[in-house]
Amino acid sequence: MFLLGMPGVVICGMAADMACAQPVSRDVARRAAIHPVADSAAMQTWLSRVPLTRNFPPDFGATLRGDAPAFVVEMTTAPGCAPCADLWTKLQTLHRQYGVDVKVLSREEAMVRSGRLGLPWVGHPVAWVRATNDPDRVIPVAIGTDHSVNLARNIYLAFKMMTGVRPDVAVRAMAKFTGIVGVAASSPSHSKSN
């Protein structure tokens, strides 16, 4: 191990040396996890980096079809949001394939829900699975858009968890949200004239 010391700079020679690890601020972590995109090309560039789910348990289709009436997928959206349109299209395909009900959730309700779950509001889209008979039983299944197979996997896992059955697929898979969200509309700047 070597240390190079200059005022305000420390370089550690061993990555595993915990004494040299610097704490990461919440803002830095958020910027690393959230990928705002303005158009379809930028969205596809980010999506090309996201791994696809390849293995599904044998009860996958039966679970989605059988449990669909007990749940609704709610998502947020915003005008001109490319990831929102992409996620909506993919969720509509899942609706046609498995009968999964899909609805739009207002930004205000989404922010309240995010706050209740201790999640930071990151922008649109965000999708949750909610029990149709209990508005307080929700599980986030997408923060940003994702590949169709990954969305289906997350919805399957949410159905399993909310029915009290241990999923056959690792729950950690659902924590790998893409963070591919739309660029927030900028508010006009208000400058004062002197």
Side-chain angles (χ1 to χ4, degrees):
M1 179 170 119
F2 66 91
L3 291 175
L4 175 61
M6 294 188 289
V9 178
V10 177
I11 300 171
C12 298
M14 295 180 69
D17 184 4
M18 295 308 290
C20 294
Q22 298 294 318
V24 177
S25 74
R26 186 175 244 188
D27 188 49
V28 169
R30 183 173 182 252
R31 281 191 310 239
I34 303 303
H35 314 294
V37 297
D39 57 36
S40 184
M43 180 184 68
Q44 292 304 323
T45 298
W46 276 106
L47 271 173
S48 69
R49 301 172 184 171
V50 177
L52 295 163
T53 300
R54 302 213 184 272
N55 299 315
F56 291 93
D59 70 335
F60 180 79
T63 296
L64 287 179
R65 279 184 207 89
D67 289 348
F71 301 100
V72 61
V73 177
E74 296 175 319
M75 68 165 277
T76 64
T77 189
C81 170
C84 299
D86 186 69
L87 181 63
W88 181 259
T89 300
K90 290 171 180 172
L91 290 174
Q92 289 303 309
T93 299
L94 292 173
H95 169 74
R96 286 188 299 278
Q97 282 180 307
Y98 301 106
V100 175
D101 193 18
V102 182
K103 295 185 178 172
V104 173
L105 184 68
S106 74
R107 180 180 194 274
E108 293 74 27
E109 178 60 27
M111 290 178 72
V112 167
R113 185 175 288 176
S114 291
R116 261 195 338 247
L117 295 173
L119 300 171
W121 177 251
V122 297
H124 302 286
V126 178
W128 292 268
V129 166
R130 175 181 63 80
T132 55
N133 63 354
D134 187 350
D136 294 327
R137 290 185 59 218
V138 296
I139 295 178
V141 292
I143 296 176
T145 192
D146 204 335
H147 297 293
S148 294
V149 292
N150 296 350
L151 292 167
R153 172 205 62 209
N154 289 356
I155 292 167
Y156 165 86
L157 289 170
F159 284 10
K160 286 293 197 176
M161 287 186 277
M162 293 180 82
T163 57
V165 177
R166 184 175 174 206
D168 291 336
V169 180
V171 175
R172 280 192 320 192
M174 193 162 35
K176 297 178 182 176
F177 298 129
T178 67
I180 303 169
V181 298
V183 174
S186 58
S187 56
S189 60
H190 301 290
S191 58
K192 291 183 180 181
S193 314
N194 290 334

